[in-house]
Amino acid sequence: YQWKGPFYFIQGADPQFGLMKAWTHGDTNNGDDEWGEEIKLAEQAVQAINKLNPKPKFFVLCGDLVHGMPGSRWKKNQEQDLKDVLKNTDQDIPLVFVSGNHDIGNTPTRETIDDYCKNWGDDYFSFWVGGVFFLVLNSQLYFDSSECPELRQAQDAWLDEQLAAAANQKCKHIIVFQHIPLFLRKPDEDHDYFNFDKSVRQEIMEKFHKAGVRAVFSGHYHRNAGGSYKGLEMVVSSAIGCQLGQDTHGLRVVVVTEEKVVHKYYSLTELGSHGIEKELLDMLAKQK
């Protein structure tokens, strides 16, 4: 709970083993029987993170760990290959997993969520790092909870409790991780596959704003994007894996100071060869 000075973490999203082949074959429901390219990219990400000095407080993966949907033929193999890569992350850097639509299904069920939890840990939870309160949410429950409405209600009730507790603890910042962005660029943009339905979005944005949430970090879009709503920053990070736009395979470095949350997206090559730039390192050094 105690503020001990600036720190940073690494955010990645959508390693999504299997999408690159499916995407090039124009069939995103099949054609995902090869993911050698994604394995290399995930290895590159882990190597880049392991070289960083000082070490990040944690490495969060914002969903779509693999491309195979629940029950699909390659899912278990894809998950095992990702685990084999992630095992090489420095032991001092905790991994934080966020569920994406490919991990639990576009319309999740109690079974698909249970399966995810057995494999990767809870689908929503909170944790503290040095006076900063972090929330991990299951955004699929906000996208389509028609098969498990009671789970959506449970997450809502839990979220309200957590935000109330954070207010009592006088935390420095509240930061949220989820797979699907609230919005891509503007809070009032139209609803599509890559953001929340407008009514749900408005309700959550307002809840976050009232609770003083500083930033929401997500993936899902396979491109960098983002915007803000009444001082709440929405950060959309591109993928470690398949790119659907002009961005590079990369990771986001997020520096947390007493006053603010500053972040920069790096290509895997850039982060691996040069590390974090001086400007961000200087912000971290102010704790001494």
Side-chain angles (χ1 to χ4, degrees):
Y1 302 115
Q2 299 299 313
W3 176 254
K4 300 229 170 61
F7 63 88
Y8 81 102
F9 62 85
I10 300 290
Q11 182 219 5
D14 304 273
Q16 206 158 342
F17 284 18
L19 175 58
M20 288 170 94
K21 179 175 180 188
W23 186 251
T24 53
H25 282 57
D27 181 358
T28 49
N29 294 320
N30 297 291
D32 63 340
D33 56 341
E34 291 168 28
W35 50 91
E37 197 60 38
E38 283 101 337
I39 290 176
K40 285 194 197 121
L41 290 162
E43 284 171 346
Q44 197 183 345
V46 167
Q47 285 158 7
I49 290 167
N50 286 347
K51 279 161 87 175
L52 294 171
N53 183 22
K55 289 188 200 317
K57 287 287 184 193
F58 60 87
F59 171 29
V60 57
L61 273 169
C62 281
D64 281 2
L65 305 173
V66 302
H67 184 61
M69 285 281 188
S72 65
R73 188 174 164 194
W74 309 109
K75 190 173 184 68
K76 289 276 169 267
N77 297 16
Q78 289 169 353
E79 288 181 331
Q80 190 53 54
D81 283 353
L82 178 59
K83 287 179 182 180
D84 289 343
V85 172
L86 293 174
K87 269 185 218 158
N88 297 315
T89 310
D90 187 303
Q91 293 296 296
D92 296 328
I93 304 171
L95 292 164
V96 177
F97 297 109
V98 182
S99 63
N101 57 304
H102 281 262
D103 305 310
I104 58 176
N106 286 323
T107 305
T109 64
R110 186 174 278 282
E111 290 69 35
T112 63
I113 291 174
D114 283 350
D115 189 56
Y116 170 87
C117 294
K118 282 193 199 91
N119 247 314
W120 301 102
D122 291 337
D123 59 324
Y124 58 89
F125 55 96
S126 62
F127 60 98
W128 286 85
V129 177
V132 178
F133 190 51
F134 292 93
L135 289 159
V136 170
L137 296 180
N138 178 343
S139 57
Q140 218 52 39
L141 292 175
Y142 295 120
F143 196 81
D144 181 0
S145 61
S146 56
E147 294 287 316
C148 53
E150 73 288 355
L151 298 184
R152 154 90 190 259
Q153 285 160 358
Q155 176 169 259
D156 278 338
W158 173 87
L159 179 57
D160 290 341
E161 279 169 20
Q162 295 289 310
L163 292 172
N168 291 338
Q169 287 287 355
K170 311 244 183 311
C171 54
K172 287 288 173 202
H173 306 292
I174 305 171
I175 294 174
V176 173
F177 299 119
Q178 58 190 52
H179 179 60
I180 301 179
L182 296 167
F183 57 89
L184 297 172
R185 292 195 168 79
K186 296 195 174 81
D188 60 350
E189 70 197 17
D190 289 340
H191 164 57
D192 67 18
Y193 174 78
F194 288 113
N195 61 18
F196 278 8
D197 175 80
K198 277 176 130 171
S199 60
V200 175
R201 180 195 315 167
Q202 188 56 41
E203 184 190 328
I204 295 172
M205 288 189 310
E206 205 42 44
K207 183 182 285 191
F208 285 174
H209 164 65
K210 287 197 171 109
V213 174
R214 176 59 64 112
V216 177
F217 288 88
S218 70
H220 188 53
Y221 192 45
H222 294 254
R223 286 156 281 219
N224 287 310
S228 63
Y229 172 80
K230 296 185 180 174
L232 164 72
E233 190 181 7
M234 180 67 243
V235 184
V236 185
S237 292
S238 197
I240 293 170
C242 187
Q243 300 300 314
L244 302 186
Q246 302 306 307
D247 294 295
T248 51
H249 307 281
L251 294 165
R252 192 171 292 277
V253 172
V254 186
V255 174
V256 183
T257 74
E258 203 160 359
E259 294 79 36
K260 55 193 176 182
V261 176
V262 182
H263 51 86
K264 178 169 194 272
Y265 187 83
Y266 288 84
S267 74
L268 296 179
T269 313
E270 195 182 1
L271 194 62
S273 54
H274 303 301
I276 303 171
E277 66 203 60
K278 186 173 182 313
E279 194 185 346
L280 293 183
L281 287 171
D282 286 348
M283 291 174 86
L284 290 169
K286 295 212 168 101
Q287 66 196 43
K288 303 291 181 270

